[in-house]
Every structure is written in structure tokens, then in C-alpha cells.
Amino acid sequence: MAKFELKLPKMGESVAEATITNWLKNVGDHIDADETVLEIATDKVDSEVPSEVEGTLVEILFQVDDVVQVGQTIAIIETEGDVPASAPAASSAPAEAKAVAETVAVAQDTVATPVDFSDSDKFFSPLVKNIAKEEGVSVAELEAIAGTGKDGRVTKNDILDYIKNRGNQPQAAAVKVETPKATPAPAAQTASKAAPVSVNGADEIVEMDRMRKLISGYMVKSVQTSAHVQSFIEVDVTNIVNWRNKVKNSFEKREGEKLTFTPIFMEAVAKALKDFPGMNISVEGDYIIKKKNINLGMAAALPNGNLIVPVIKNADQLNLVGMAKAVNDLGNRAKAGKLKPDDTQGSTYTVTNVGTFGSVFGTPIINQPEVGILALGAIRKVPAVIETPEGDFIGIRQKMFLSHSYDHRVVDGALGGQFVQRVAQILEAFDPNREI
């Protein structure tokens, strides 16, 4: 028998941690190689963690809603044969837990009572929570500890020092600490935590799911961070519509991919970003970061009504066929819930298609820390003035609106307007005889 450490895998360069959302296996269950053991969620996408080996799950080191760092051991699987060379032979987590238990055993002998951390807005690691539960440290006490970890987080040493000092206090004081007087919370804070009540008894009250809460936070933060300004421009896309209608069937037969309007628009945006690199930047504090790569975010609606933004990396290096394949691949995997965390990281500019649902134009919210986002309106047949050498006349044209939201902190009206104008020029100059 050997023990294999199941670790949280690396999920992209910018992803450092994930939250456990569901254990699909319980202790004692048999697991096949490549079988999914648990589900996790990063700040943008859900994912699955499969087992690299076949065996029996003998220990679960983290629970649902715990935040785990990349590379941390999350479970122990007992195997029949030898553990793969890439995996450590034994878990360090049980040894660490044992050492912690031995350390805290010298602390004051208190009666452990159930502790509920769900009411706390602070993050506490699973190890800190376990120590607090074993030593009867209340949530109020834990929140009062001055953490020395990153962003003020309470570390193992912080809580052990607290327990040691608490144990040296007089007994009366210790009892008083165990039952601290509740500090009244501000009215606004209390109201935000309390579930609303239906006055007439007929309204349905549904709590936001995890992703909707994240989206809500992102949107509010973006509006509070960036000075949003919008520019709108109307574009004649008749040539594009006619060309797509002419080649879409042969394209699908040859490439096995549907040809939508989205890759055509994405190609135009990538070209415009090369002409106006001032839109391909991000802002961090008082610093402007000029991005070398052009990575286009593509806002996509999910079946559950939520929104996600997969990213087309190095979009300016793709031809139209490559762009169509990238758009279809990300869109299909987004709908199926198969995106990987790295698929949603690193965008430098975002495009959203509000025309999918019939909107003529919109005022999209910037995807932080980018400085611009382009909304594509619905394509409509409209009467238009057509200029010819023989004079002007009225004709039926296919037109749409482009809505450009940009961050006025670093993008002025001239750059914001010129950029969306350049996108329009590229689209209107589309060659109706283009080969693909």
C-alpha cells in the first residue's frame, strides 16, 4: 500500500488559489485514474480536479467553501502499487496537523464549543479554523486577533500566540473572553446580511449564486473605479452580411465550423488595437501598463443567465479562419461549463455582443483593469442615403451601432472616438470578394 497526495493543480499563471465547491467522492470511496474527485471554483470559472491514480480515498484535508492554494494537498488516496515518482510518498498535512495539536495541547484546557464562521466576513484558513474550534476560540475573538499574514490574515502562529497568552490570564478573565459581549453592528451592515422578507407572502426570495455574487462585485467595483464615457458610431456592414451569406455554407463544409459575425468583428477590433495601442493598456493605481500582446475578451452569456469572459490570446496573430475556430471553441466550452481557469485570464480589451438579444446599442461596463469595452449592436435593414457619382439615392442597407465605453481617467474623447471610428472604417472597407 502507498499513499498519494492529491494536490490542487496549477490552473494558469495568474491563478493562485481556488475554492472547493463540492466533493464528488467521500472517504472510503474507490477512485479510478482520471476520475473527478471534487469541483473547485476560481474567481471566474468552475473546474474539476481528477485523480492521477487509482485507489481509495482515505482522507479529505479541506471542506466545501475552503480556499486552497495551488500546490496544496487536498486529499490522500491509498493505492495498491507504488506512488508515481512525481508525487511525494506520504502526506505532510497530517504530520503538520499532529504537530499543531501537540503545540496547542499545552494551552489552557477549555471546553470546546461549536463555532460557526459563516457570519464572519474575514478569511480564515482551514488550519486556523480547526485550532479555533478545538480551543473554543469564538468568532469574535478570532476577528479581533491582529493577523500578520498577507492582507492581515490570521496565521497559525497568530492564533497559537493568542491561545498561549489567553491561557496565562486569570481564570475569570478567560471565562469572560470565552463569552464576549457582542458589539452592535452598524445598521447598514446588519441589513446587508439579513435575508429580505416578503411582505405579501407571494414574492419569491432567492439568494444569488456564487458566480452572480462575483459578477455583482466586479460590476460595482468597475463603476466605482473607472470614469466611464461612451462614444457611439453607426456602421454600414452590408458587404459583410452579403459576403457571409455567400461563403458560410462552404466554410462550414470545409472547416467543420460555423462562420458567425463575431470573428469578423474580433478581427477588426484586433487590427484597430494595433493602430491605437493606447487602448490596449491597463491601469494599476497611478501607473499605466502598456500591453505587448493583444488578448481579446469575449463576453458570453451562460445558460444559467450568468456571464463569463473567455479570452482569445494573441488575437492579432490569427487569420479569419483561426479567429472563427477560437471564437467557436471558447463559446462552446463556455456553454458546456468546460472552460479552464486560464481561458478567462489575461484579456487586454473586451468585446460584448448586445445585438444577440436585439439591442441596438448599449453602455457596457469596463472589464477591470482594462480601459475599454466595445458593444456590438444588432444588425438591421434600414433606409440609407447612398452616394454615387450619378447622385444620391435612398437604398436598403445593413447597419449596426458600435458602442464604445472607455476609462476617462486615461483615455480622452479623441482617442476613444478615433478607436471606434477605426473599427468602423475597417468593417466598412471589408472586401466583398474576399477569399477564405
Side-chain angles (χ1 to χ4, degrees), residues 280-292:
N280 198 52
I281 65 174
S282 65
V283 178
E284 290 189 13
D286 294 331
Y287 295 90
I288 295 173
I289 301 174
K290 298 180 179 180
K291 299 294 186 177
K292 180 179 180 180

mmCIF file with all atom_site columns, all heavy atoms in Angstrom, residues 280-292:
data_model
loop_
_atom_site.group_PDB
_atom_site.id
_atom_site.type_symbol
_atom_site.label_atom_id
_atom_site.label_alt_id
_atom_site.label_comp_id
_atom_site.label_asym_id
_atom_site.label_entity_id
_atom_site.label_seq_id
_atom_site.pdbx_PDB_ins_code
_atom_site.Cartn_x
_atom_site.Cartn_y
_atom_site.Cartn_z
_atom_site.occupancy
_atom_site.B_iso_or_equiv
_atom_site.pdbx_formal_charge
_atom_site.auth_seq_id
_atom_site.auth_comp_id
_atom_site.auth_asym_id
_atom_site.auth_atom_id
_atom_site.pdbx_PDB_model_num
ATOM 1   N N   . ASN A 1 280 ? -4.925 49.538 -25.677 1.00 0.00 ? 280 ASN A N   1
ATOM 2   C CA  . ASN A 1 280 ? -4.509 48.204 -25.236 1.00 0.00 ? 280 ASN A CA  1
ATOM 3   C C   . ASN A 1 280 ? -3.613 48.333 -24.006 1.00 0.00 ? 280 ASN A C   1
ATOM 4   O O   . ASN A 1 280 ? -2.468 47.889 -23.980 1.00 0.00 ? 280 ASN A O   1
ATOM 5   C CB  . ASN A 1 280 ? -3.761 47.481 -26.362 1.00 0.00 ? 280 ASN A CB  1
ATOM 6   C CG  . ASN A 1 280 ? -3.682 45.982 -26.142 1.00 0.00 ? 280 ASN A CG  1
ATOM 7   O OD1 . ASN A 1 280 ? -4.698 45.329 -25.905 1.00 0.00 ? 280 ASN A OD1 1
ATOM 8   N ND2 . ASN A 1 280 ? -2.493 45.430 -26.214 1.00 0.00 ? 280 ASN A ND2 1
ATOM 9   N N   . ILE A 1 281 ? -4.177 48.952 -22.972 1.00 0.00 ? 281 ILE A N   1
ATOM 10  C CA  . ILE A 1 281 ? -3.427 49.207 -21.743 1.00 0.00 ? 281 ILE A CA  1
ATOM 11  C C   . ILE A 1 281 ? -4.277 48.806 -20.546 1.00 0.00 ? 281 ILE A C   1
ATOM 12  O O   . ILE A 1 281 ? -5.462 48.482 -20.677 1.00 0.00 ? 281 ILE A O   1
ATOM 13  C CB  . ILE A 1 281 ? -3.038 50.697 -21.616 1.00 0.00 ? 281 ILE A CB  1
ATOM 14  C CG1 . ILE A 1 281 ? -4.308 51.557 -21.459 1.00 0.00 ? 281 ILE A CG1 1
ATOM 15  C CG2 . ILE A 1 281 ? -2.229 51.151 -22.819 1.00 0.00 ? 281 ILE A CG2 1
ATOM 16  C CD1 . ILE A 1 281 ? -4.016 53.024 -21.179 1.00 0.00 ? 281 ILE A CD1 1
ATOM 17  N N   . SER A 1 282 ? -3.660 48.819 -19.382 1.00 0.00 ? 282 SER A N   1
ATOM 18  C CA  . SER A 1 282 ? -4.402 48.629 -18.144 1.00 0.00 ? 282 SER A CA  1
ATOM 19  C C   . SER A 1 282 ? -3.892 49.638 -17.122 1.00 0.00 ? 282 SER A C   1
ATOM 20  O O   . SER A 1 282 ? -2.825 50.243 -17.312 1.00 0.00 ? 282 SER A O   1
ATOM 21  C CB  . SER A 1 282 ? -4.234 47.200 -17.603 1.00 0.00 ? 282 SER A CB  1
ATOM 22  O OG  . SER A 1 282 ? -2.895 46.951 -17.235 1.00 0.00 ? 282 SER A OG  1
ATOM 23  N N   . VAL A 1 283 ? -4.641 49.828 -16.062 1.00 0.00 ? 283 VAL A N   1
ATOM 24  C CA  . VAL A 1 283 ? -4.290 50.806 -15.037 1.00 0.00 ? 283 VAL A CA  1
ATOM 25  C C   . VAL A 1 283 ? -4.164 50.099 -13.693 1.00 0.00 ? 283 VAL A C   1
ATOM 26  O O   . VAL A 1 283 ? -5.037 49.317 -13.303 1.00 0.00 ? 283 VAL A O   1
ATOM 27  C CB  . VAL A 1 283 ? -5.357 51.921 -14.937 1.00 0.00 ? 283 VAL A CB  1
ATOM 28  C CG1 . VAL A 1 283 ? -5.007 52.905 -13.833 1.00 0.00 ? 283 VAL A CG1 1
ATOM 29  C CG2 . VAL A 1 283 ? -5.495 52.643 -16.264 1.00 0.00 ? 283 VAL A CG2 1
ATOM 30  N N   . GLU A 1 284 ? -3.066 50.354 -13.020 1.00 0.00 ? 284 GLU A N   1
ATOM 31  C CA  . GLU A 1 284 ? -2.870 49.867 -11.660 1.00 0.00 ? 284 GLU A CA  1
ATOM 32  C C   . GLU A 1 284 ? -2.409 51.038 -10.805 1.00 0.00 ? 284 GLU A C   1
ATOM 33  O O   . GLU A 1 284 ? -1.265 51.465 -10.902 1.00 0.00 ? 284 GLU A O   1
ATOM 34  C CB  . GLU A 1 284 ? -1.847 48.726 -11.617 1.00 0.00 ? 284 GLU A CB  1
ATOM 35  C CG  . GLU A 1 284 ? -2.342 47.437 -12.243 1.00 0.00 ? 284 GLU A CG  1
ATOM 36  C CD  . GLU A 1 284 ? -1.406 46.272 -11.990 1.00 0.00 ? 284 GLU A CD  1
ATOM 37  O OE1 . GLU A 1 284 ? -0.515 46.412 -11.130 1.00 0.00 ? 284 GLU A OE1 1
ATOM 38  O OE2 . GLU A 1 284 ? -1.574 45.232 -12.656 1.00 0.00 ? 284 GLU A OE2 1
ATOM 39  N N   . GLY A 1 285 ? -3.329 51.560 -9.999  1.00 0.00 ? 285 GLY A N   1
ATOM 40  C CA  . GLY A 1 285 ? -3.007 52.726 -9.176  1.00 0.00 ? 285 GLY A CA  1
ATOM 41  C C   . GLY A 1 285 ? -2.721 53.931 -10.052 1.00 0.00 ? 285 GLY A C   1
ATOM 42  O O   . GLY A 1 285 ? -3.529 54.339 -10.879 1.00 0.00 ? 285 GLY A O   1
ATOM 43  N N   . ASP A 1 286 ? -1.519 54.492 -9.882  1.00 0.00 ? 286 ASP A N   1
ATOM 44  C CA  . ASP A 1 286 ? -1.114 55.658 -10.664 1.00 0.00 ? 286 ASP A CA  1
ATOM 45  C C   . ASP A 1 286 ? -0.236 55.269 -11.851 1.00 0.00 ? 286 ASP A C   1
ATOM 46  O O   . ASP A 1 286 ? 0.428  56.126 -12.438 1.00 0.00 ? 286 ASP A O   1
ATOM 47  C CB  . ASP A 1 286 ? -0.342 56.642 -9.768  1.00 0.00 ? 286 ASP A CB  1
ATOM 48  C CG  . ASP A 1 286 ? -1.232 57.238 -8.687  1.00 0.00 ? 286 ASP A CG  1
ATOM 49  O OD1 . ASP A 1 286 ? -2.447 57.362 -8.926  1.00 0.00 ? 286 ASP A OD1 1
ATOM 50  O OD2 . ASP A 1 286 ? -0.713 57.561 -7.606  1.00 0.00 ? 286 ASP A OD2 1
ATOM 51  N N   . TYR A 1 287 ? -0.242 53.990 -12.214 1.00 0.00 ? 287 TYR A N   1
ATOM 52  C CA  . TYR A 1 287 ? 0.628  53.516 -13.285 1.00 0.00 ? 287 TYR A CA  1
ATOM 53  C C   . TYR A 1 287 ? -0.194 52.978 -14.461 1.00 0.00 ? 287 TYR A C   1
ATOM 54  O O   . TYR A 1 287 ? -1.217 52.327 -14.264 1.00 0.00 ? 287 TYR A O   1
ATOM 55  C CB  . TYR A 1 287 ? 1.578  52.436 -12.778 1.00 0.00 ? 287 TYR A CB  1
ATOM 56  C CG  . TYR A 1 287 ? 2.557  52.945 -11.742 1.00 0.00 ? 287 TYR A CG  1
ATOM 57  C CD1 . TYR A 1 287 ? 2.240  52.913 -10.385 1.00 0.00 ? 287 TYR A CD1 1
ATOM 58  C CD2 . TYR A 1 287 ? 3.788  53.479 -12.122 1.00 0.00 ? 287 TYR A CD2 1
ATOM 59  C CE1 . TYR A 1 287 ? 3.123  53.388 -9.430  1.00 0.00 ? 287 TYR A CE1 1
ATOM 60  C CE2 . TYR A 1 287 ? 4.687  53.951 -11.169 1.00 0.00 ? 287 TYR A CE2 1
ATOM 61  C CZ  . TYR A 1 287 ? 4.343  53.906 -9.829  1.00 0.00 ? 287 TYR A CZ  1
ATOM 62  O OH  . TYR A 1 287 ? 5.226  54.388 -8.887  1.00 0.00 ? 287 TYR A OH  1
ATOM 63  N N   . ILE A 1 288 ? 0.313  53.237 -15.658 1.00 0.00 ? 288 ILE A N   1
ATOM 64  C CA  . ILE A 1 288 ? -0.284 52.724 -16.893 1.00 0.00 ? 288 ILE A CA  1
ATOM 65  C C   . ILE A 1 288 ? 0.611  51.600 -17.415 1.00 0.00 ? 288 ILE A C   1
ATOM 66  O O   . ILE A 1 288 ? 1.828  51.779 -17.547 1.00 0.00 ? 288 ILE A O   1
ATOM 67  C CB  . ILE A 1 288 ? -0.414 53.829 -17.952 1.00 0.00 ? 288 ILE A CB  1
ATOM 68  C CG1 . ILE A 1 288 ? -1.400 54.904 -17.476 1.00 0.00 ? 288 ILE A CG1 1
ATOM 69  C CG2 . ILE A 1 288 ? -0.871 53.247 -19.286 1.00 0.00 ? 288 ILE A CG2 1
ATOM 70  C CD1 . ILE A 1 288 ? -1.461 56.118 -18.392 1.00 0.00 ? 288 ILE A CD1 1
ATOM 71  N N   . ILE A 1 289 ? 0.011  50.460 -17.693 1.00 0.00 ? 289 ILE A N   1
ATOM 72  C CA  . ILE A 1 289 ? 0.759  49.315 -18.204 1.00 0.00 ? 289 ILE A CA  1
ATOM 73  C C   . ILE A 1 289 ? 0.405  49.120 -19.670 1.00 0.00 ? 289 ILE A C   1
ATOM 74  O O   . ILE A 1 289 ? -0.748 48.830 -20.010 1.00 0.00 ? 289 ILE A O   1
ATOM 75  C CB  . ILE A 1 289 ? 0.438  48.043 -17.399 1.00 0.00 ? 289 ILE A CB  1
ATOM 76  C CG1 . ILE A 1 289 ? 0.782  48.259 -15.925 1.00 0.00 ? 289 ILE A CG1 1
ATOM 77  C CG2 . ILE A 1 289 ? 1.201  46.844 -17.959 1.00 0.00 ? 289 ILE A CG2 1
ATOM 78  C CD1 . ILE A 1 289 ? 0.362  47.119 -15.035 1.00 0.00 ? 289 ILE A CD1 1
ATOM 79  N N   . LYS A 1 290 ? 1.380  49.300 -20.535 1.00 0.00 ? 290 LYS A N   1
ATOM 80  C CA  . LYS A 1 290 ? 1.172  49.121 -21.974 1.00 0.00 ? 290 LYS A CA  1
ATOM 81  C C   . LYS A 1 290 ? 1.357  47.651 -22.319 1.00 0.00 ? 290 LYS A C   1
ATOM 82  O O   . LYS A 1 290 ? 2.442  47.095 -22.158 1.00 0.00 ? 290 LYS A O   1
ATOM 83  C CB  . LYS A 1 290 ? 2.154  49.993 -22.763 1.00 0.00 ? 290 LYS A CB  1
ATOM 84  C CG  . LYS A 1 290 ? 1.981  51.480 -22.511 1.00 0.00 ? 290 LYS A CG  1
ATOM 85  C CD  . LYS A 1 290 ? 2.991  52.296 -23.318 1.00 0.00 ? 290 LYS A CD  1
ATOM 86  C CE  . LYS A 1 290 ? 2.793  53.792 -23.080 1.00 0.00 ? 290 LYS A CE  1
ATOM 87  N NZ  . LYS A 1 290 ? 3.773  54.606 -23.859 1.00 0.00 ? 290 LYS A NZ  1
ATOM 88  N N   . LYS A 1 291 ? 0.306  47.035 -22.795 1.00 0.00 ? 291 LYS A N   1
ATOM 89  C CA  . LYS A 1 291 ? 0.316  45.596 -23.055 1.00 0.00 ? 291 LYS A CA  1
ATOM 90  C C   . LYS A 1 291 ? 0.998  45.278 -24.385 1.00 0.00 ? 291 LYS A C   1
ATOM 91  O O   . LYS A 1 291 ? 0.709  45.903 -25.402 1.00 0.00 ? 291 LYS A O   1
ATOM 92  C CB  . LYS A 1 291 ? -1.116 45.050 -23.072 1.00 0.00 ? 291 LYS A CB  1
ATOM 93  C CG  . LYS A 1 291 ? -1.861 45.236 -21.743 1.00 0.00 ? 291 LYS A CG  1
ATOM 94  C CD  . LYS A 1 291 ? -1.235 44.419 -20.629 1.00 0.00 ? 291 LYS A CD  1
ATOM 95  C CE  . LYS A 1 291 ? -2.062 44.500 -19.366 1.00 0.00 ? 291 LYS A CE  1
ATOM 96  N NZ  . LYS A 1 291 ? -1.506 43.652 -18.296 1.00 0.00 ? 291 LYS A NZ  1
ATOM 97  N N   . LYS A 1 292 ? 1.870  44.289 -24.350 1.00 0.00 ? 292 LYS A N   1
ATOM 98  C CA  . LYS A 1 292 ? 2.560  43.870 -25.563 1.00 0.00 ? 292 LYS A CA  1
ATOM 99  C C   . LYS A 1 292 ? 1.662  43.010 -26.439 1.00 0.00 ? 292 LYS A C   1
ATOM 100 O O   . LYS A 1 292 ? 1.640  43.150 -27.661 1.00 0.00 ? 292 LYS A O   1
ATOM 101 C CB  . LYS A 1 292 ? 3.820  43.092 -25.187 1.00 0.00 ? 292 LYS A CB  1
ATOM 102 C CG  . LYS A 1 292 ? 4.624  42.609 -26.387 1.00 0.00 ? 292 LYS A CG  1
ATOM 103 C CD  . LYS A 1 292 ? 5.882  41.857 -25.948 1.00 0.00 ? 292 LYS A CD  1
ATOM 104 C CE  . LYS A 1 292 ? 6.679  41.374 -27.145 1.00 0.00 ? 292 LYS A CE  1
ATOM 105 N NZ  . LYS A 1 292 ? 7.902  40.631 -26.726 1.00 0.00 ? 292 LYS A NZ  1
#
